[in-house]
Amino acid sequence: LGTCSGASFSPSDPEVLSLQVSCLCGSAPCLLCGCCPSAKNSTISRLLFTFFLFLGTLVSIIMIIPGVEKELHKLPGFCEGSGSVLGVQTHVNCESFLGHKAVYRMGFAMAAFFFLFATIMVCVRSSKDPRAAVQNGFWFFKFLVLVGITVGAFYIPDGAFTSVWFYFGVVGSFLFILIQLVLLIDFAHSWSQLWLRNAGESNAKGWYAALCIVTFLFYAASIAAVVLLYIYYTRPEGCTEGKVLVSINLILCLIVSAVSILPKIQEAQPHSGLLQASLITLYTFYVTWSALANVPVQTCNPTLLVRNSTSSAMANQPLTTWWDAPSIVGLIIFILCTLFISIRSSDHPQVNKLMLTEESGAGVGAGGGEEGGLHRAYDNEQDGVSYNYTFFHLCLLLAALYIMMTLTNWYRPDESLQVLTSPWTAVWVKISSSWAGLLLYLWTLVAPLVLPDRDFS
């Protein structure tokens, strides 16, 4: 149970005992290190927890497929209690909202699972802490816990659950969007620094040309997005909110782009430039698009989805699926960001401090990653953890809430529980997150000038 790829070690070795516990009833770390290069135990653990999140996401996607959604009413007790809201009985066709209900309960199960581990792992400092063995092993039992929580979640009576959990999802999604923005800004800076470094070491013209081409493509895509948003989400008369929101974000993006190439900014941060600004601009207009897709006015939102629980209303329109273009893009960004959180530490110390990670592992442990030419997972956290266990689980908790809201398009039942509607809350949360991201990027540009005594390298 404790060996990887057949390697033999002394049973009395503390590191080997730790590896034995890690592989107990969960051979995934051993399988990974048997077929891949030697890996850090901390990295494998993060990937496996992320796999659990992706597995829950896949189950949620399957549940909102119309054909599967129709069969969910066969689950015993799933529709029971759906007509009771704060003790008042109502007449609701539960079958109309089964996919929505299922995604909410799957999101609750994943959030509860990661909250449990976030609580258990508070103040773990190194792999010598007995709780570190729980973090890095017992994968079969963790899977059983997740399955048990999921099954229990499907027996939660509706009551006020959907309404209350919607606001938990809104807050969690807002925080995860901010995490996405931090990672995107860090990625943009790292990308620019890498290409500028390559330009200084080799063919400068080629790398500078690549920078210019990519920057041009990002800005061209942003301009196209602005034009399309004005065409499809505004009208010559009315739709004032859409016009104002697109215009404000356009002005803010022009400001940050201009600031990024100011001489004083370039002097303080030689690596800052239009590549980062163009990427942030493109992401900002994606978030704006996603926000406008939630405007609850049909004339101002051609992508508005409507599902009514009454059969007469549903007879005149096809059954709607709960994903559209903004949701698909959001799903892709979600996958990339969660993988980023799981496998990479930033090149920038400030980002590592913010994300509570270290630039490198605390140590590879005795014996390194290979012994006798065989690959294995090695303990790199004997002197100190390479990432904050609790913060990592909280990030996955927020990611679970974000994907829950994304798959349901941020919709919720109206007061009569007869129609799934898109509330203005979703619009303002997304727009606020885009403003917060632009201000955060602007701060990364001006911080060295405002705080000259601090190291922002």
Side-chain angles (χ1 to χ4, degrees), residues 42-79:
S42 60
T43 302
I44 294 175
S45 297
R46 284 183 284 181
L47 286 174
L48 288 174
F49 275 114
T50 303
F51 170 76
F52 282 173
L53 176 62
F54 288 166
L55 182 63
T57 301
L58 178 61
V59 172
S60 298
I61 293 174
I62 293 174
M63 286 181 174
I64 57 176
I65 296 175
V68 177
E69 181 184 10
K70 292 180 180 179
E71 302 298 321
L72 290 177
H73 72 279
K74 296 180 181 179
L75 293 177
F78 190 36
C79 274

Side-chain angles (χ1 to χ4, degrees), residues 144-443:
L144 291 183
V145 169
L146 179 58
V147 171
I149 296 175
T150 302
V151 173
F154 276 79
Y155 284 91
I156 298 175
D158 273 357
F161 171 78
T162 301
S163 300
V164 173
W165 194 241
F166 170 82
Y167 289 102
F168 275 91
V170 165
V171 174
S173 298
F174 177 81
L175 295 176
F176 187 72
I177 290 174
L178 293 183
I179 291 176
Q180 286 184 334
L181 291 166
V182 170
L183 299 178
L184 184 67
I185 293 171
D186 174 50
F187 172 74
H189 279 293
S190 299
W191 186 358
S192 177
Q193 288 185 13
L194 175 63
W195 282 18
L196 290 175
R197 188 184 309 120
N198 291 340
E201 295 175 355
S202 58
N203 184 4
K205 292 183 179 180
W207 287 108
Y208 284 130
L211 277 171
C212 293
I213 292 173
V214 172
T215 302
F216 172 78
L217 291 176
F218 284 161
Y219 274 124
S222 300
I223 294 172
V226 171
V227 173
L228 292 174
L229 290 178
Y230 276 123
I231 292 175
Y232 289 102
Y233 291 91
T234 65
R235 293 292 180 268
E237 296 182 1
C239 302
T240 305
E241 296 87 354
K243 297 175 184 176
V244 171
L245 295 179
V246 175
S247 300
I248 289 177
N249 279 356
L250 177 60
I251 294 171
L252 292 177
C253 288
L254 291 175
I255 291 174
V256 297
S257 297
V259 171
S260 67
I261 56 176
L262 290 176
K264 288 188 177 181
I265 298 296
Q266 290 289 310
E267 181 180 351
Q269 292 198 74
H271 294 293
S272 69
L274 290 178
L275 175 63
Q276 299 96 312
S278 65
L279 183 57
I280 299 301
T281 297
L282 183 58
Y283 182 80
T284 297
F285 285 114
Y286 155 70
V287 177
T288 306
W289 174 35
S290 180
L292 295 180
N294 278 111
V295 171
V297 181
Q298 188 75 57
T299 56
C300 303
N301 180 8
T303 60
L304 184 67
L305 301 176
V306 178
R307 177 178 295 186
N308 194 299
S309 66
T310 59
S311 58
S312 60
M314 288 301 297
N316 299 325
Q317 61 183 29
L319 187 65
T320 55
T321 56
W322 290 107
W323 58 83
D324 53 9
S327 298
I328 294 173
V329 176
L331 178 62
I332 295 172
I333 296 175
F334 154 79
I335 293 174
L336 295 177
C337 285
T338 48
L339 287 175
F340 189 98
I341 293 171
S342 301
I343 64 177
R344 182 180 183 272
S345 293
S346 174
D347 294 332
H348 301 277
Q350 298 297 331
V351 176
N352 283 321
K353 290 179 182 179
L354 181 63
M355 300 300 294
L356 300 183
T357 59
E358 300 294 337
E359 292 184 60
S360 60
V364 298
E370 297 187 18
E371 186 163 324
L374 295 172
H375 301 298
R376 67 185 183 93
Y378 59 89
D379 184 2
N380 64 309
E381 299 181 306
Q382 290 184 344
D383 298 326
V385 295
S386 61
Y387 64 100
N388 186 292
Y389 290 175
T390 295
F391 184 77
F392 171 71
H393 288 296
L394 289 178
C395 285
L396 294 187
L397 186 157
L398 298 178
L401 295 177
Y402 172 80
I403 199 61
M404 177 188 78
M405 300 304 292
T406 299
L407 293 178
T408 58
N409 281 28
W410 297 63
Y411 282 37
R412 67 177 180 184
D414 64 355
E415 291 77 5
S416 63
L417 298 183
Q418 300 299 313
V419 181
L420 280 177
T421 61
S422 177
W424 277 103
T425 304
V427 179
W428 292 113
V429 167
K430 293 180 180 181
I431 286 296
S432 299
S433 67
S434 71
W435 294 340
L438 289 171
L439 291 176
L440 183 60
Y441 174 63
L442 184 63
W443 172 249

